[in-house]
Amino acid sequence: MTNCSIEIRSMSPDDIPALSVIVGRNYDKHCAEMFHAEAGCAFYQYPFKPRFLVAEHKGTIVACACWTNDWCSWGVFNLSWVQVDPDFQGRGIGQAIVNAALAELRPQATIILLMTSKPDFYAKHWNFVVATECSPT
């Protein structure tokens, strides 16, 4: 539960600039540009389009989450671009948008992959298994 009112919905093309600003605030200009390009793919005719959710607070975009099908493995999905505006962090919005994404993913997913700079957060709230290294044996 969040401590501010939010609405979670599908991303529209008009949301991409505001979300790019959030990514830029969380990371840097280069990441914001990468996000802008990847988010735009959600509105093209690709076989495996990314699916984005956004969270709004009083009409202002404050967060997003994305997932894509893995191109090589049926039932494998990648959760990515989980972003919360720095001014709204710590209010449960990240948890709410990840919960909404997982609710859509779980019926169709056998595996959900996540690369993150905050592995402990995901392990704590959703029991994600943290793998710090993958190497051939």
Side-chain angles (χ1 to χ4, degrees):
M1 169 143 322
T2 67
N3 64 7
C4 69
S5 62
I6 60 167
E7 175 193 350
I8 296 176
R9 60 170 175 77
S10 295
M11 180 183 74
S12 76
D14 293 339
D15 298 329
I16 295 173
L19 291 168
S20 296
V21 169
I22 292 170
V23 172
R25 290 187 69 205
N26 285 331
Y27 293 100
D28 59 27
K29 181 181 177 182
H30 175 71
C31 288
E33 291 169 353
M34 287 179 17
F35 172 85
H36 197 280
E38 289 184 28
C41 292
F43 304 100
Y44 292 109
Q45 294 300 317
Y46 290 122
F48 298 103
K49 292 193 259 185
R51 166 98 167 102
F52 282 85
L53 294 178
V54 299
E56 278 186 322
H57 173 68
K58 297 182 180 178
T60 299
I61 303 292
V62 297
C64 70
C66 171
W67 65 91
T68 55
N69 298 61
D70 186 272
W71 287 60
C72 299
S73 304
W74 187 256
V76 177
F77 292 83
N78 299 292
L79 181 62
S80 60
W81 292 119
V82 177
Q83 299 287 310
V84 178
D85 186 299
D87 293 338
F88 288 86
Q89 291 176 5
R91 299 183 190 189
I93 295 169
Q95 286 179 272
I97 201 155
V98 170
N99 285 339
L102 292 175
E104 287 193 29
L105 277 173
R106 284 192 176 121
Q108 54 190 328
T110 54
I111 296 174
I112 300 170
L113 303 172
L114 169 72
M115 287 192 284
T116 180
S117 59
K118 299 182 181 197
D120 295 339
F121 176 77
Y122 291 90
K124 175 184 172 185
H125 293 288
W126 298 283
N127 295 319
F128 271 79
V129 175
V130 177
T132 56
E133 182 179 326
C134 290
S135 60
T137 54

